[in-house]
Amino acid sequence: MAASLPPDLRVLCRKLTSIPPTQLPHALPSLINHVLHCKEPLSAPQERKVKDSSAEGAQLVHKLKASITTHLNGRSREARFTAIGLIKAVVDVGGWEVLQGCKPWVGGLLSIVEKSDPAASKELAVVTLTRIYMLVQPYQTLVREIATPTIPAFITTCLKLIKANSGESLQTPLSVVETICDAFSALIPLYPTTFRPSSSKIKAAIRSFLVPTLSDDVVVPQSLQRASRRLVISLHHVAAKSGGSDEWAKLVDLLLKDLHSTADQVLRAIEESWEGSNGYSRSQVELDGEPHGGGASAEVLPSWTGINAGADRLIGLFHYLSDCLRYPTKAPVTIPTSALVDAASRVLLIARLSPKSQSWDQALPTVAAIGREEREELWAAMPDIHIAALHLLQTLFQRLEQNTVALAPEVLDHLVRVFKSGINLPSVRMTGYAILKEILILSGPTLSKSSVESLDPLLGACCRDLQQDAGHLKESEKPTASTTDPKKNSIAANVDLFLQPQASAVVAATPLDPEHKAAASALLAIIPSCLPQRYLKPSVRGLVDQTAIVTSNRDAMLASVLNPYKDQRGRVYPSILPHLTQQFPDDQGLEILRTNLRAGAQSLAEGEPPLEELPVAGEEEDEEEVRDEEMKDDNTEEESATRKTGDLFKPSTLPTPQLEKNLPIQSNPFAPSDKVKSTAADKDRNARAGSPPKRKHEGSDPAPPKRQVLEKSSPDRVLAAPVPTAPTAEEEDDDDDDDESVHLNMELDEDDEEDDDE
């Protein structure tokens, strides 16, 4: 039975011929929806089409392709735009069956990119061509027929769009330039040999988009900066043979040199304490004129002038290095970890240790030859430079993961220093939370006590931000000016403040940005699990638990329950499980806790004494005040009590079953004699009487200090003695063996008696 064709195929063919060309763009979404429903007839082999539905299916598919080709080569811009969108949809749905006949479409798309069509049509044509080249790459025959002959023309046409003529501004919209950069980045790893002749032209064309500054004429968006940097980084794929790793290393080395040369100009107002290493060092710069850098050569970045432009270049270079670590490479590469950390350390060392009590000029040694205006512009740009350097370290931790554990202490020192310097800026706090989370996940349990204690400002600020966002933190009351001061009577006051009664004052929430709140919440959730709790202060842990409760942070509350806090004396702090149960009664994780958590089952850390062994305040002093006479009386009473109740503490023995009367009693030749037993018992009794246990006198405090006692396991139960049973017939048959053993015992006894006589 022939399979029925979907009605969408007939509807699609009818609409393409009946709708006026000017109205086709409005109908494009519905047309694409029909194409998606026609996957089976478009992707089916040609033989199956003829067999299943005679010639109708093949005719409709052929009619659809012909209509698309007609609109693609037509005069109407609207029809060409619609044809481009339909080609993209048909190629995605049809697969190889459509790709083998799409060579005419590729030529038409290239002509649209070259023509004076609208920017939207050109951008969509670039996307469609890129998709076709990516889909034909697994098929070598289609690559030779379609990709290899047309990709060079595609590269040349796109370079004309993104390259501005000398002395003229760029006519192509920046969104189209970004799309072309993304298209090249996707195709270069697939066709490296085809892009190799054009690599230098590509670098020159996008040179002005990599690290823009205020000195440039065009404002480049962040998305275009990242797309252009990704394109330059991917050009190492076009290197011959195994030279991709070397090209990538050369790019990183060039960026590091450019970064340090830019820092020499931007930071010339400061006497830096940083000392160069790894082949990079400071150079002497001229103090006359404004800071400047860059050049007109195609191998270097564009020139810049001024402290603000230099700060933009420095920030952009840090982002450039981060992108080098973020995107994949052709082959394994050697990452210069020490050089990257050293470059970030150069700017992270420039910070204020106590920003509330000192200014930048007071915190850092400055060069007297530099004017105050340049220094103030530098102080204003330092927080953004710090954030860019921290992002580089964050990317390094994300890329290398466990291999960066050794870098954690040094990076934490820089993070704490910069965080204190810019704690008043939300962007600095948000960046600090994100980087601290990455570090704690990788190396949090290995941190030392000093490192954990240094994190108190970050942990406190994280809790404060979340509580302010939830509206649970009251602002500190500002001192009101005295009304009796005659000098301040002329100052205008806000009358509305006096109209609001103090009793009705409500704590207003200070909402955070979504990214800021997400970073703080993520950090709060890992503090109980990724930090050594024995190094945390009780006040910090209490603040973390309080913040988790008032902000309803489920992950943080769950981590707190699973990681209870114990102080140095082993006392376990109360769990917040009741709050978790109240706020999330239907949570599946809570059900697991209810099933597995048991009271008193908290395990102590390795080497930590239990509560019973901890000293109790005042107990030793009371014991020393016991009088000698009372101790003697107590010892006498205790000795007599021990004699009476000593048998109660002896291990119980099983009763000996009654043996038959006709069997001889067997004696143990290896058992000690009664004389030896009595001597050992007397020695043991005298030793216990000579060192009696200490006890308090009767006049001691009736309310001794309380101590926590863990639940002790119940004493082992003694099994009941087995009931003797009558011997069976088999046992009576074995009497001969018993007789032999009796004779052996008798012989041993006789030998012992002979030894005693001698």
Side-chain angles (χ1 to χ4, degrees):
M1 181 178 179
S4 60
L5 292 173
D8 297 85
L9 187 57
R10 299 186 183 90
V11 173
L12 184 60
C13 294
R14 184 172 63 252
K15 285 185 176 181
L16 286 177
T17 56
S18 61
I19 297 178
T22 56
Q23 298 180 4
L24 283 175
H26 299 280
L28 183 59
S30 63
L31 296 176
I32 292 177
N33 190 31
H34 290 310
V35 172
L36 297 178
H37 293 169
C38 299
K39 180 178 180 179
E40 184 175 355
L42 289 174
S43 60
Q46 186 68 25
E47 295 79 5
R48 183 180 175 183
K49 294 176 184 177
V50 176
K51 184 184 299 183
D52 291 347
S53 56
S54 301
E56 183 180 5
Q59 291 177 358
L60 290 176
V61 172
H62 178 72
K63 184 178 180 180
L64 174 62
K65 294 180 179 179
S67 300
I68 294 175
T69 305
T70 301
H71 289 302
L72 182 64
N73 299 326
R75 296 182 178 181
S76 174
R77 294 182 176 181
E78 294 83 359
R80 290 198 295 268
F81 179 81
T82 305
I84 298 171
L86 290 176
I87 291 173
K88 173 70 168 54
V90 171
V91 166
D92 288 334
V93 171
W96 185 85
E97 292 294 332
V98 177
L99 289 174
Q100 64 177 349
C102 69
K103 187 174 182 179
W105 290 348
V106 173
L109 293 172
L110 287 174
S111 63
I112 289 178
V113 177
E114 295 176 354
K115 291 179 181 179
S116 59
D117 277 45
S121 299
K122 293 184 178 182
E123 185 176 3
L124 186 57
V126 170
V127 173
T128 305
L129 285 170
T130 304
R131 183 59 177 168
I132 292 175
Y133 293 144
M134 293 177 66
L135 291 176
V136 302
Q137 195 271 338
Y139 310 105
Q140 295 299 323
T141 304
L142 299 181
V143 169
R144 290 193 299 267
E145 295 178 358
I146 300 174
T148 304
T150 58
I151 286 181
F154 173 69
I155 297 173
T156 304
T157 304
C158 292
L159 288 178
K160 292 180 180 179
L161 294 176
I162 64 178
K163 185 177 181 180
N165 298 327
S166 58
E168 298 180 1
S169 60
L170 184 65
Q171 301 297 329
T172 306
L174 296 181
S175 60
V176 179
V177 177
E178 181 181 349
T179 302
I180 293 174
C181 292
D182 290 335
F184 283 1
S185 301
L187 294 177
I188 285 176
L190 301 178
Y191 304 95
T193 55
T194 309
F195 277 86
R196 185 178 302 161
S198 305
S199 60
S200 59
K201 296 180 181 178
I202 293 174
K203 289 181 181 179
I206 63 175
R207 171 172 164 263
S208 59
F209 306 130
L210 296 172
V211 189
T213 63
L214 293 178
S215 300
D216 300 334
D217 299 333
V218 181
V219 178
V220 183
Q222 291 289 339
S223 58
L224 178 55
Q225 295 180 31
R226 176 163 293 185
S228 60
R229 291 195 290 260
R230 181 186 178 187
L231 175 56
V232 175
I233 295 170
S234 64
L235 286 177
H236 76 276
H237 287 84
V238 305
K241 297 182 180 180
S242 60
S245 302
D246 297 336
E247 292 295 329
W248 186 89
K250 290 180 181 179
L251 175 62
V252 174
D253 182 67
L254 180 63
L255 292 177
L256 286 173
K257 290 181 179 179
D258 199 356
L259 186 145
H260 285 290
S261 62
T262 305
D264 292 338
Q265 294 286 337
V266 175
L267 305 178
R268 66 178 187 173
I270 306 173
E271 294 182 359
E272 300 182 64
S273 60
W274 174 81
E275 296 181 359
S277 60
N278 301 299
Y280 308 100
S281 60
R282 290 179 294 173
S283 59
Q284 296 294 333
V285 296
E286 298 180 358
L287 302 181
D288 298 335
E290 293 185 352
H292 60 278
S297 175
E299 299 296 331
V300 297
L301 296 172
S303 58
W304 58 271
T305 304
I307 188 67
N308 291 326
D312 292 340
R313 177 60 53 82
L314 195 60
I315 294 171
L317 288 172
F318 275 118
H319 291 322
Y320 204 161
L321 290 171
S322 301
D323 290 340
C324 290
L325 300 176
R326 184 175 291 110
Y327 299 123
T329 57
K330 178 182 179 181
V333 296
T334 302
I335 299 178
T337 306
S338 58
L340 294 175
V341 175
D342 191 54
S345 301
R346 180 174 183 179
V347 298
L348 295 177
L349 288 173
I350 304 174
R352 295 178 297 174
L353 298 181
S354 51
K356 293 184 179 181
S357 60
Q358 59 181 186
S359 62
W360 283 97
D361 292 321
Q362 296 173 349
L364 299 172
T366 58
V367 178
I370 303 300
R372 185 183 63 180
E373 295 181 356
E374 181 177 337
R375 292 200 305 269
E376 290 178 350
E377 291 180 356
L378 176 60
W379 307 145
M382 283 308 301
D384 294 331
I385 298 175
H386 287 161
I387 292 174
L390 290 176
H391 279 306
L392 173 61
L393 298 178
Q394 181 184 10
T395 308
L396 186 64
F397 272 83
Q398 292 174 348
R399 172 58 66 184
L400 299 181
E401 295 181 350
Q402 296 295 337
N403 297 319
T404 56
V405 174
L407 302 176
E410 180 181 358
V411 175
L412 278 180
D413 291 341
H414 293 314
L415 176 60
V416 173
R417 184 187 307 107
V418 171
F419 190 88
K420 290 181 179 179
S421 178
I423 193 173
N424 59 321
L425 300 176
S427 58
V428 175
R429 298 200 303 271
M430 179 182 66
T431 306
Y433 301 153
I435 298 175
L436 181 59
K437 176 197 169 187
E438 298 291 340
I439 297 175
L440 293 185
I441 291 176
L442 295 176
S443 59
T446 64
L447 296 180
S448 61
K449 183 178 180 180
S450 59
S451 299
V452 175
E453 291 178 351
S454 66
L455 298 178
D456 289 349
L458 283 87
L459 304 182
C462 175
C463 297
R464 180 181 179 85
D465 284 346
L466 291 175
Q467 290 190 15
Q468 280 186 343
D469 179 77
H472 292 278
L473 187 64
K474 296 182 179 180
E475 297 182 357
S476 58
E477 297 181 358
K478 298 180 180 179
T480 57
S482 176
T483 57
T484 59
D485 192 355
K487 297 181 180 180
K488 298 183 179 180
N489 290 336
S490 59
I491 300 177
N494 188 357
V495 182
D496 295 334
L497 296 178
F498 298 96
L499 299 178
Q500 297 179 358
Q502 296 294 333
S504 62
V506 181
V507 180
T510 306
L512 300 174
D513 292 338
E515 296 181 359
H516 190 167
K517 183 178 180 180
S521 301
L523 175 61
L524 183 71
I526 67 170
I527 292 175
S529 58
C530 294
L531 273 179
Q533 297 301 298
R534 61 184 181 276
Y535 297 151
L536 269 183
K537 297 179 181 178
S539 58
V540 176
R541 177 56 189 267
L543 182 61
V544 170
D545 291 346
Q546 179 188 14
T547 306
I549 294 172
V550 299
T551 59
S552 299
N553 192 324
R554 179 257 181 193
D555 295 335
M557 297 175 69
L558 187 62
S560 177
V561 173
L562 294 176
N563 299 273
Y565 182 78
K566 294 193 292 285
D567 59 6
Q568 297 295 335
R569 299 182 60 183
R571 295 176 299 183
V572 181
Y573 278 49
S575 174
I576 62 173
L577 181 59
H579 298 277
L580 180 62
T581 306
Q582 182 180 6
Q583 296 185 14
F584 303 95
D586 300 329
D587 189 77
Q588 294 182 356
L590 183 61
E591 296 299 328
I592 299 176
L593 291 177
R594 287 172 175 171
T595 306
N596 295 307
L597 284 185
R598 295 291 183 269
Q602 308 294 344
S603 60
L604 298 176
E606 184 178 357
E608 188 175 2
L611 291 178
E612 292 88 349
E613 299 180 4
L614 294 175
V616 181
E619 183 177 358
E620 296 180 357
E621 297 178 359
D622 294 340
E623 292 178 354
E624 293 178 356
E625 295 177 357
V626 178
R627 298 179 181 179
D628 297 338
E629 296 179 358
E630 295 180 355
M631 289 179 61
K632 294 180 180 179
D633 297 340
D634 294 341
N635 294 339
T636 305
E637 296 176 359
E638 186 174 358
E639 183 177 358
S640 60
T642 303
R643 293 176 181 176
K644 295 179 181 180
T645 61
D647 297 336
L648 298 177
F649 298 96
K650 292 183 179 179
S652 59
T653 57
L654 297 177
T656 306
Q658 297 180 358
L659 301 177
E660 293 184 355
K661 295 181 180 180
N662 56 355
L663 293 178
I665 300 175
Q666 302 178 10
S667 61
N668 186 3
F670 304 101
S673 60
D674 296 339
K675 184 178 181 181
V676 176
K677 291 182 179 179
S678 60
T679 304
D682 294 338
K683 290 182 179 180
D684 186 21
R685 187 181 301 107
N686 294 334
R688 285 184 294 175
S691 58
K694 296 182 180 180
R695 58 182 296 179
K696 293 185 178 181
H697 60 280
E698 297 178 356
S700 60
D701 189 3
K706 297 181 180 179
R707 67 166 67 186
Q708 298 179 358
V709 181
L710 297 177
E711 295 181 3
K712 297 183 179 180
S713 59
S714 59
D716 297 336
R717 294 180 297 177
V718 180
L719 298 177
V723 180
T725 57
T728 59
E730 296 179 357
E731 294 178 352
E732 294 178 358
D733 295 339
D734 296 336
D735 288 343
D736 298 336
D737 297 337
D738 295 336
D739 294 338
E740 293 177 2
S741 62
V742 170
H743 291 304
L744 290 175
N745 293 334
M746 293 177 64
E747 292 177 0
L748 290 173
D749 294 338
E750 292 176 359
D751 294 340
D752 294 338
E753 292 176 359
E754 291 177 1
D755 294 339
D756 295 338
D757 295 339
E758 293 177 358

